[in-house]
């Protein structure tokens, strides 16, 4: 595949024509990716990167069975769902078979954001209530209705929290309000939700829904304590509300032993509405809301038709069916259990070795590494986390950092991730943390943490020590360093004429 522009020109065009709030990974030194296969991505020079970021390319980048299904259906027909077609009903049937029996009615959308927006409409129509309880630092999508219930976003702006939004503490037993040494963190966190409901009722407000990711991603890869969701659901339903489980990032077998992450919380816990997106189409825009007949009938009783031009179209449904086939045929749930367990075990050994690792948590191929500067105080190592992800990029491993303090390394790779990949990831991380900790331990003058970008350094606001920069990346020969079919023709002389 030929590049249209050089990397420099692509950056210049992006600055000129793409909104400045549209951020890219590794902004200080971005990567230009031109192709990908399974768990690997390749830049314009043919360098191979191990992808530990993409929970969208769920069954692997450009999986041939998914590509074939899309092409085959596109050659026949693509139209909206007002026409009868077998793909949409076949997919709905197979999807519902993975869920508890009462979750049996589907509404198809194009993205997780659309799915969560529709879930709010369903919840509010159900009993005519308006208010929503969300978790602190949650993110549920980019639509206006979702920014309003996403503290991860709305607290960065100037607008105050809306009066119909109530924020409960993250049920985080490592860094949250109630920690692992608390006698009953499950009840303590659930009681915070109960207090919110009671206070809302005192003010004459009514709860429509509680919404939460089954495992909170932007909140720092947080897994709620056992029984928390059951108790919350009990309180919310008693108040006339519904429980919305957001599986947009964590569904479709990522946790390994279960197809849906909410199923980790026990057979006695069934949400009223489940939303899904990202991994559903392996990068193709398809998403869904699944709910009960009772809620669906209440939504229909409003008299307003629900229509989504592209939601559930024949091509999207064919792609989504192929993803289900690959998950089953390649035992990707089993792979998530095996490789995720192996990776977690390796990382816990690193925790015993490295003082910067405060906590390793996760299930299957959804893992967080909480970096700290002080184990007792659990002081977030924010600048250090940024340093690590840039250094890992130099080692051809793509990671990201998130959480309220941006100090949690997130691992959520394609589901075909292997034990060899896990070992390679951990070996690179081990080397980088070793150099970093040696620099912290041997320097008392206060040095800058470098992201390895020429002319750009960053001094951590809280840090009293400096972190050693390893300089330019080593130029070692990489077996994957090939042209990979890239066009060898001269690049367009755009840089000479482009004005930005």
């Amino acid at each position: 595949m030929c590049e249209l522009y050089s990397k420099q020109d692509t950056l210049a065009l992006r600055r000129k024509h793409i909104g400045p709030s549209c951020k890219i990974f590794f902004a200080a030194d971005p990567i230009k990716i031109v192709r990908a296969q399974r768990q690997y991505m390749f830049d314009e020079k043919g360098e191979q990167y191990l992808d530990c970021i993409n929970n969208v390319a769920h069954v692997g980048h450009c999986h041939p069975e998914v590509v074939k299904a899309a092409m085959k259906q596109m050659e026949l027909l693509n139209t909206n769902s007002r026409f009868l077609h077998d793909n949409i009903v076949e997919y709905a049937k197979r999807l519902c078979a993975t869920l508890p029996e009462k979750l049996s009615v589907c509404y198809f959308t194009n993205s997780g954001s659309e799915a969560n927006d529709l879930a709010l409409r369903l919840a509010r129509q159900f009993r005519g209530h308006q208010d929503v309880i969300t978790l602190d630092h949650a993110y549920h999508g980019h639509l206006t209705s979702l920014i309003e219930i996403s503290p991860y976003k709305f607290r960065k702006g100037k607008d105050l929290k809306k009066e119909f939004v109530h924020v409960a503490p993250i049920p985080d037993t490592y860094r949250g309000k109630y920690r692992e040494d608390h006698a009953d963190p499950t009840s303590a966190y659930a009681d915070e939700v109960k207090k919110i409901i009671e206070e809302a009722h005192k003010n004459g407000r009514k709860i429509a829904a509680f919404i939460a990711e089954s495992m909170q991603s932007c909140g720092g890869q947080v897994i709620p304590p056992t029984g928390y969701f059951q108790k919350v659901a009990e309180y919310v339903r008693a108040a006339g509300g519904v429980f919305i489980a957001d599986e947009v990032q964590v569904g479709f077998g990522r946790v390994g032993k279960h197809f849906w992450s909410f199923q980790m919380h026990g057979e006695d816990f069934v949400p009223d509405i489940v939303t899904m997106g990202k991994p559903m189409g392996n990068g193709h825009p398809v998403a869904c809301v699944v709910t009960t007949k009772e809620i669906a009938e209440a939504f229909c009783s409003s008299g307003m038709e629900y229509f989504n031009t592209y939601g559930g179209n024949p091509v999207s449904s064919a792609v989504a069916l192929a993803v289900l086939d690959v998950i089953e045929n390649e035992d990707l749930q089993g792979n998530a259990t095996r490789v995720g367990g192996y990776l977690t075990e390796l990382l816990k050994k690193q925790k015993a070795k490295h003082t910067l690792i405060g906590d390793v948590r996760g299930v299957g191929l959804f893992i967080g590494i909480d970096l700290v500067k002080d184990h007792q105080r659990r002081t977030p190592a924010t600048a250090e986390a940024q340093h690590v992800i840039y250094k890992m990029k130099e080692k051809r491993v793509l990671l990201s950092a998130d959480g309220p303090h941006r100090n949690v390394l997130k691992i959520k790779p394609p589901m075909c991730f292997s034990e060899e990949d896990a070992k390679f990831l951990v070996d690179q991380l081990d080397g980088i943390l070793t150099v970093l900790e040696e620099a912290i331990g041997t320097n008392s003058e206060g040095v800058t943490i470098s992201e390895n970008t020429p002319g750009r350094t960053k001094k951590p606001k809280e840090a009293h020590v400096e972190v050693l920069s390893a300089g330019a990346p080593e130029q070692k020969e990489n077996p994957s360093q090939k042209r990979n079919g890239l066009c060898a023709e001269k690049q367009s002389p755009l840089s000479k004429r482009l004005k930005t």
Side-chain angles (χ1 to χ4, degrees):
M1 177 181 176
C2 293
E3 295 176 76
L4 291 176
Y5 307 108
S6 68
K7 181 177 177 179
Q8 177 186 356
D9 291 340
T10 301
L11 272 169
L13 281 167
R14 186 178 180 98
R15 292 188 188 109
K16 183 176 182 180
H17 295 299
I18 306 300
S21 56
C22 301
K23 305 300 183 183
I24 53 177
F25 286 125
F26 311 105
D29 183 24
I31 310 170
K32 184 177 183 181
I33 295 297
V34 298
R35 75 177 187 91
Q37 194 70 36
R38 293 180 64 80
Q39 64 269 49
Y40 305 106
M41 304 182 83
F42 299 86
D43 68 12
E44 81 284 6
K45 296 177 182 177
E47 288 282 2
Q48 175 179 292
Y49 293 84
L50 178 61
D51 182 6
C52 303
I53 293 175
N54 261 293
N55 59 338
V56 179
H58 190 63
V59 300
H61 291 280
C62 305
H63 194 289
E65 293 302 315
V66 177
V67 173
K68 184 167 69 175
M71 290 177 64
K72 184 178 178 181
Q73 184 57 52
M74 286 176 75
E75 288 177 342
L76 290 173
L77 168 75
N78 199 26
T79 186
N80 68 57
S81 55
R82 287 181 189 265
F83 294 98
L84 277 177
H85 197 275
D86 288 343
N87 284 3
I88 188 172
V89 293
E90 173 65 9
Y91 186 74
K93 182 182 78 172
R94 287 187 57 185
L95 186 66
C96 289
T98 68
L99 290 157
E101 188 176 356
K102 79 170 192 175
L103 294 168
S104 60
V105 183
C106 301
Y107 295 87
F108 289 97
T109 67
N110 305 299
S111 69
S113 290
E114 279 193 4
N116 280 331
D117 176 78
L118 180 57
L120 291 182
R121 288 176 59 193
L122 288 165
R124 285 169 168 157
Q125 176 64 28
F126 184 46
R127 289 203 172 94
H129 298 180
Q130 177 70 12
D131 289 25
V132 177
I133 302 173
T134 186
L135 293 178
D136 200 7
H137 216 73
Y139 175 65
H140 294 290
H142 62 81
L143 302 183
T144 299
S145 63
L146 304 173
I147 295 298
E148 290 174 345
I149 63 163
S150 297
Y152 180 77
K153 290 289 185 181
F154 71 58
R155 290 190 177 174
K156 293 182 180 180
K158 295 179 181 178
D159 294 335
L160 296 175
K161 178 175 69 66
K162 305 291 184 182
E163 63 178 358
F164 58 81
V165 177
H166 310 276
V167 180
I170 301 177
D172 180 357
T173 56
Y174 177 73
R175 188 177 292 286
K177 186 174 181 179
Y178 308 108
R179 300 186 175 181
E180 72 278 2
D181 58 352
H182 189 278
D184 186 3
T186 295
S187 296
Y189 279 118
D191 285 346
E192 293 284 341
V193 176
K194 186 179 181 182
K195 290 174 193 172
I196 286 171
I197 294 170
E198 290 170 349
E199 188 64 27
H201 286 175
K202 283 180 187 176
N203 294 323
R205 308 201 64 88
K206 295 180 178 180
I207 303 299
F210 172 91
I211 184 170
E213 289 183 279
S214 302
M215 299 187 294
Q216 199 171 13
S217 182
C218 290
Q221 309 293 87
V222 176
I223 302 168
T226 304
Y228 170 74
F229 280 161
Q230 283 93 329
K231 286 180 178 291
V232 168
E234 180 185 339
Y235 298 147
V236 170
R237 287 166 182 158
V242 301
F243 192 110
I244 303 171
D246 181 339
E247 293 267 341
V248 171
Q249 295 210 53
V250 297
F252 291 89
R254 179 159 292 278
V255 296
K257 291 183 179 178
H258 303 282
F259 200 83
W260 302 104
S261 295
F262 72 78
Q263 292 171 322
M264 293 190 306
H265 301 280
E267 291 184 7
D268 61 331
F269 171 66
V270 179
D272 302 292
I273 301 172
V274 177
T275 61
M276 53 197 75
K278 292 182 190 297
M280 188 172 174
N282 210 53
H284 185 89
V286 56
C288 190
V289 178
V290 186
T291 190
T292 66
K293 280 189 175 182
E294 185 183 11
I295 292 173
E297 285 168 2
F299 187 58
C300 187
S301 70
S302 70
M304 183 185 294
E305 177 189 1
Y306 172 73
F307 172 62
N308 186 313
T309 303
Y310 299 109
N313 69 72
V315 172
S316 294
S317 298
V319 167
L321 281 164
V323 170
L324 289 182
D325 287 340
V326 174
I327 292 171
E328 182 178 348
N329 295 340
E330 297 184 8
D331 187 26
L332 293 185
Q333 276 187 252
N335 190 65
T337 300
R338 290 186 297 272
V339 178
Y342 176 67
L343 177 54
T344 301
E345 182 183 337
L346 292 180
L347 289 171
K348 286 184 175 177
K349 288 178 181 176
Q350 293 298 311
K351 178 187 172 186
K353 178 179 179 181
H354 293 290
T355 57
L356 274 169
I357 298 179
D359 191 35
V360 173
R361 53 183 177 262
V363 182
L365 288 174
F366 180 89
I367 299 169
I369 307 168
D370 198 312
L371 299 186
V372 298
K373 288 186 279 192
D374 182 289
H375 271 250
Q376 279 195 321
R377 296 180 181 177
R378 302 183 181 182
T379 313
T382 301
E384 289 81 356
Q386 297 305 309
H387 177 84
V388 167
I389 64 172
Y390 273 83
K391 288 296 179 185
M392 288 292 280
K393 179 174 74 74
E394 290 177 13
K395 301 296 184 181
R396 307 296 182 254
V397 178
L398 303 182
L399 283 176
S400 62
D402 216 329
H405 308 285
R406 296 278 179 180
N407 69 306
V408 180
L409 303 180
K410 296 171 69 171
I411 302 174
K412 46 188 180 65
M415 295 275 282
C416 51
F417 206 71
S418 70
E419 290 189 357
E420 291 77 14
D421 297 325
K423 180 71 164 55
F424 180 74
L425 160 65
V426 174
D427 285 347
Q428 305 316 305
L429 182 62
D430 180 24
I432 289 166
L433 290 178
T434 298
V435 172
L436 193 53
E437 289 169 348
E438 285 174 358
I440 292 171
T442 57
N443 261 298
S444 58
E445 295 297 321
V447 203
T448 306
I449 292 185
S450 168
E451 288 176 346
N452 242 11
T453 309
R456 184 183 285 213
T457 54
K458 196 181 284 185
K459 184 172 283 186
K461 293 178 181 177
E462 311 137 341
H464 300 294
V465 294
E466 197 175 334
V467 182
L468 187 65
S469 167
E474 294 179 359
Q475 300 299 321
K476 292 184 179 178
E477 188 174 349
N478 188 321
S480 67
Q481 192 171 348
K482 305 172 185 175
R483 289 306 295 168
N484 293 300
L486 295 179
C487 184
E489 295 173 0
K490 290 183 180 179
Q491 301 296 341
S492 162
L494 179 67
S495 55
K496 295 180 181 178
R497 54 185 169 80
L498 185 65
K499 295 179 181 179
T500 57

